[in-house]
Amino acid sequence: MTKGVGSRSYTGPVAKVLVQHVCTECGTASPRWLGKCPGCGAFGTLAEELHATADAAASLARSPTRLGDVSASEGERISTGVPELDRVLGGGIVPASLVLVGGEPGVGKSTLLLSALCAISKSRKALLISGEESAAQVSLRAARLGGAEAVGILAETDLGTVCATLEHERPAVCVIDSVQTLHASDLGSAPGSVAQVREAAGRLLRVAKQAGVATILVGHVTKDGAVAGPRVLEHLVDCVLQFEGDRYHAHRILRATKNRFGSTNELGVFEMTGAGLVGVPDPSELFGSTHPGEVGAAVGCALEGTRPLLLEIQALVSPTDLAMPRRVATGVDPKRLAMIVAVLGRHAGLALGSADVFVNVAGGVRIEEPGADLAIALAIASASRGAALRENAAAFGEIGLTGRLRAASQAERRLDECAKLGIQTVLAPSGTAPRDGLRVSAVETLRAAVQAGLDAQAG
Ligand SMILES: Nc1ncnc2c1ncn2[C@@H]1O[C@H](COP(=O)(O)OP(=O)(O)OP(=O)(O)O)[C@@H](O)[C@H]1O
Ligand SMILES: [Mg+2]
């Protein structure tokens, strides 16, 4: 609705607003402010409230569209040129979406995103807003990666300038490294403060949706691994990616912790090399090999999203005089480890009450899937008994508190992966269908699994 008033014209509906004073205790409304509420007699409880009049509210209303009439085209995701990143995003970046990438300092966030921009810039407009490094520093990294000539770079920290540039340039993809360095001059607080980060994310969200720019924000993480700044940042964006890795290992793992356009279970594996981050298309080969006859090592098959992953799990059991023996886990949830040790003691006759138990997953990988339980238990059993597990064997299955094994999801996928990597025997919960070319040894309980895993070696 457009109304002409004098020489100036206002666009949009003009709402007539009614001011009321409403008691916060009993809800009595009065047209003017009173010290004492006429309803309940309380003092100082009347607060001003704004109400739109009925016809003003009607003029504000808009008629909704039926979802069936909304036109949307699927399948126009932008490939980042980094297959592992595409996989975690659910098949590429969705245009005009907002992605947050978090990770420890030095894990390789800038490197990963610069190589994605390099590939994108070959067919579309790509822009890097760098608040942390100067253009010269970025160009040094770009020289190491190669192929970044067409990537636009702007070393800028002023939020207003960044938003205006995005609206003017309208790149297909823009990386902001990092959101904590952006500064809105109209807010008093320092860059990186909660108010600044929230303002920056909110404004970038509007620009991303209006100008159709797929925006990737780099976020710092706090000591305990959460993205620094308000939680609201994670709610605002469409997708949150976590980049993890040990600085002492060359391997880095990228996971989605939130994704509005794809699965959150997908996992990307990278290796940091002199020429940047290189995707590892077959991580099982890298992480899933043990030395034959080694005591305390087992191969587990965990499923991350749609991707089965063979992992070597190592355990050490050593006698201790401590009143509270240690249970130390790297890559495994400590509570899960405590549970597995307890079930081993109670239902598989493996008393570990006076021993320290250490468990480590090879390659700095962290496993969250319960399907890896059986392999962890077998590694501990092997270490405790001092006997190696069967050669060329892998295991998967969830351990229940009763000592019974629960069927793991997508068993065929896991078996396929085992067969692909030359595994001969697989210990799996009973009910797992056999597969050609593999000896599937179906076991019902943890006790039976420990026996099957260890005794065959002796026999
Ligand atoms: N020439 C090189 N060869 C191998 N690895 C390198 C080389 N140069 C840098 N790196 C690796 O790259 C990592 C730094 O990557 P990058 O700057 O992308 O991290 P970041 O996550 O952006 O860090 P920050 O949070 O500090 O910005 C270093 O930890 C180092 O391991
Ligand atoms: Mg960086």
Side-chain angles (χ1 to χ4, degrees):
M1 191 172 85
T2 310
K3 270 189 182 174
V5 180
S7 59
R8 284 190 292 170
S9 64
Y10 295 98
T11 52
V14 181
K16 226 190 213 164
V17 174
L18 204 70
V19 179
Q20 275 193 325
H21 293 88
V22 179
C23 173
T24 51
E25 298 289 321
C26 68
T28 305
S30 150
R32 52 195 186 92
W33 190 83
L34 299 167
K36 182 183 175 190
C37 170
C40 61
F43 284 93
T45 55
L46 261 64
E48 189 179 284
E49 264 186 20
L50 301 180
H51 285 270
T53 56
D55 29 326
S59 71
L60 278 174
R62 293 174 55 194
S63 54
T65 320
R66 285 171 22 146
L67 260 183
D69 301 336
V70 179
S71 66
S73 47
E74 246 289 6
E76 46 168 8
R77 288 176 184 251
I78 305 167
S79 167
T80 60
V82 182
E84 298 287 304
L85 178 59
D86 280 350
R87 167 204 288 275
V88 178
L89 285 167
I93 309 185
V94 174
S97 66
L98 210 60
V99 178
L100 176 67
V101 179
E104 305 256 325
V107 74
K109 303 177 291 292
S110 308
T111 311
L112 173 70
L113 295 175
L114 184 58
S115 46
L117 284 183
C118 292
I120 293 166
S121 70
K122 301 220 162 47
S123 56
R124 293 160 205 261
K125 209 164 173 182
L127 179 63
L128 171 65
I129 312 263
S130 177
E132 288 183 350
E133 289 161 272
S134 67
Q137 285 171 320
V138 175
S139 88
L140 280 180
R141 175 178 297 126
R144 177 158 79 94
L145 303 179
E149 295 75 20
V151 178
I153 169 139
L154 179 72
E156 181 60 64
T157 56
D158 184 69
L159 181 59
T161 314
V162 169
C163 289
T165 310
L166 285 183
E167 268 168 352
H168 182 251
E169 293 284 321
R170 295 188 177 241
V173 179
C174 168
V175 170
I176 301 198
D177 192 359
S178 65
V179 66
Q180 273 89 1
T181 54
L182 290 185
H183 177 76
S185 41
D186 43 339
L187 291 186
S189 43
S193 65
V194 171
Q196 289 281 4
V197 170
R198 190 189 299 148
E199 174 72 12
R203 263 162 73 179
L204 287 168
L205 178 76
R206 280 195 294 280
V207 173
K209 304 284 167 193
Q210 272 163 18
V213 182
T215 309
I216 305 180
L217 306 175
V218 174
H220 293 172
V221 295
T222 54
K223 237 189 295 158
D224 40 320
V227 176
R231 266 314 267 214
V232 70
L233 202 58
E234 291 180 24
H235 288 294
L236 271 180
V237 299
D238 298 306
C239 181
V240 180
L241 305 185
Q242 272 295 345
F243 205 24
E244 311 169 343
D246 210 307
R247 75 180 67 199
Y248 306 108
H249 284 105
H251 297 107
R252 309 286 148 95
I253 311 261
L254 186 70
R255 304 175 187 266
T257 54
K258 161 180 173 177
N259 195 348
R260 287 189 181 144
F261 314 112
S263 158
T264 50
N265 296 326
E266 291 295 348
L267 176 128
V269 183
F270 296 90
E271 186 173 1
M272 180 60 96
T273 67
L277 283 159
V278 183
V280 179
D282 207 348
S284 290
E285 213 164 308
L286 198 69
F287 301 135
S289 56
T290 51
H291 297 283
E294 204 166 48
V295 171
V299 177
C301 188
L303 200 74
E304 294 286 349
T306 55
R307 170 184 258 189
L309 197 59
L310 287 193
L311 292 167
E312 182 192 355
I313 295 165
Q314 297 174 340
L316 174 70
V317 173
S318 100
T320 181
D321 294 329
L322 291 179
M324 283 198 35
R326 275 177 293 189
R327 310 280 178 245
V328 183
T330 317
V332 178
D333 178 17
K335 284 192 208 123
R336 198 91 206 157
L337 174 63
M339 189 276 274
I340 293 170
V341 168
V343 177
L344 272 172
R346 200 80 183 84
H347 297 290
L350 210 72
L352 297 165
S354 53
D356 289 336
V357 177
F358 302 88
V359 170
N360 181 27
V361 180
V365 185
R366 185 162 54 86
I367 36 179
E368 286 164 356
E369 204 243 353
D373 285 357
L374 184 56
I376 300 170
L378 288 178
I380 297 172
S382 159
S384 164
R385 297 253 170 98
L389 291 169
R390 279 186 209 210
E391 264 176 50
N392 264 327
F396 63 84
E398 182 180 345
I399 297 175
L401 290 181
T402 57
R404 185 175 293 279
L405 297 181
R406 258 188 240 144
S409 59
Q410 306 195 39
E412 312 84 66
R413 270 237 166 83
R414 301 180 201 240
L415 291 177
D416 286 347
E417 182 78 2
C418 292
K420 201 173 94 193
L421 283 142
I423 297 281
Q424 284 157 1
T425 315
V426 178
L427 283 168
S430 54
T432 307
R435 187 191 180 286
D436 290 343
L438 269 182
R439 236 185 70 194
V440 179
S441 161
V443 280
E444 200 164 324
T445 60
L446 181 57
R447 184 184 287 270
V450 170
Q451 260 163 18
L454 289 173
D455 292 352
Q457 187 65 21

